[in-house]
Amino acid sequence: KQKCPELLTVKANFERYQIYSRLAQSIYREYTDCVEPYGLDECWLDVSHSSRLFGDGWTIAAAIRQRVREELGVTVSVGVSDNKVFSKLGSDLRKPDAQTRLDASNFREYVWPLPVSSLLFVGRQTTKVLLSFGITTIGELARANSRLIAHRFHRNGIKLQKAAQGKDDDPVLPYGVRPIAKS
């Protein structure tokens, strides 16, 4: 308000937000039953078995974006990838109302120069430790000594490094299925 006194603020309407989230998810489920929510306003979709009906992932993403815009009056950004980590990153790279492809053909070019903190599940503390090792980018994490990463971060470190290498293999769960907590 101090920087922009003419700013108008609108109170959030959580119920309405939930309704729109469910409506968007119903559109997604018309393309695949593999729709895994990630928070209230994001989902991973596995459309690999939908291409004969709807086209490739890029085509399906464009169709979904158009339908959500036309039917719900809101925009979505989509990351098209062969894994969940890069699809999330792709959706974050260009907003609003965009789609980005990050896959085996281009991730080294687009993902590896990004700050390591851009990678899903790399929070403030992990970033600090990685920076202390001289690891500043996703590419540096991908190429780092795997023993060092495993020693410092254990199983999570191995998972992060694989994600940085484009080897995230977590499947998209079918709609309504919740992951079993690993001990």
Side-chain angles (χ1 to χ4, degrees), residues 27-35 44-61 63-64 172:
I27 291 172
Y28 306 157
R29 288 193 311 274
E30 290 183 32
Y31 293 88
T32 179
D33 63 341
C34 288
V35 176
W44 283 295
L45 281 65
D46 180 349
V47 297
S48 60
H49 300 291
S50 304
S51 61
R52 292 185 74 193
L53 289 173
F54 303 111
D56 65 6
W58 188 259
T59 303
I60 292 171
I64 287 173
V172 175

Side-chain angles (χ1 to χ4, degrees), residues 17 20-25 27-28 31 40-43 45 60-80 87 90-100:
Y17 201 78
Y20 275 79
S21 176
R22 285 193 296 269
L23 290 169
Q25 289 178 26
I27 291 172
Y28 306 157
Y31 293 88
L40 188 59
D41 65 349
E42 295 182 291
C43 292
L45 281 65
I60 292 171
I64 287 173
R65 287 181 46 243
Q66 181 177 349
R67 285 194 57 197
V68 169
R69 187 181 326 104
E70 289 174 359
E71 296 174 28
L72 305 181
V74 296
T75 61
V76 293
S77 291
V78 179
V80 178
S87 66
S91 73
D92 289 342
L93 283 178
R94 294 180 55 222
K95 290 185 179 285
D97 196 22
Q99 65 188 62
T100 304

Side-chain angles (χ1 to χ4, degrees), residues 80-167:
V80 178
S81 184
D82 47 12
N83 69 67
K84 289 164 65 170
V85 170
F86 286 173
S87 66
K88 167 73 171 122
L89 183 58
S91 73
D92 289 342
L93 283 178
R94 294 180 55 222
K95 290 185 179 285
D97 196 22
Q99 65 188 62
T100 304
R101 181 188 313 271
L102 295 176
D103 60 19
S105 71
N106 68 0
F107 80 87
R108 286 175 184 85
E109 177 184 351
Y110 293 107
V111 174
W112 280 11
L114 295 174
V116 71
S117 59
S118 301
L119 193 63
L120 187 62
F121 306 122
V122 175
R124 266 183 278 167
Q125 286 305 114
T126 302
T127 299
K128 278 185 190 178
V129 175
L130 290 170
L131 291 175
S132 75
F133 292 151
I135 298 171
T136 62
T137 67
I138 295 173
E140 289 169 349
L141 174 59
R143 295 183 301 266
N145 181 310
S146 57
R147 286 190 200 158
L148 171 71
I149 299 300
H151 176 73
R152 178 57 183 88
F153 298 105
H154 310 287
R155 190 173 23 191
N156 288 337
I158 295 166
K159 187 173 174 75
L160 287 177
Q161 189 171 42
K162 283 186 171 192
Q165 295 167 345
K167 297 177 182 175

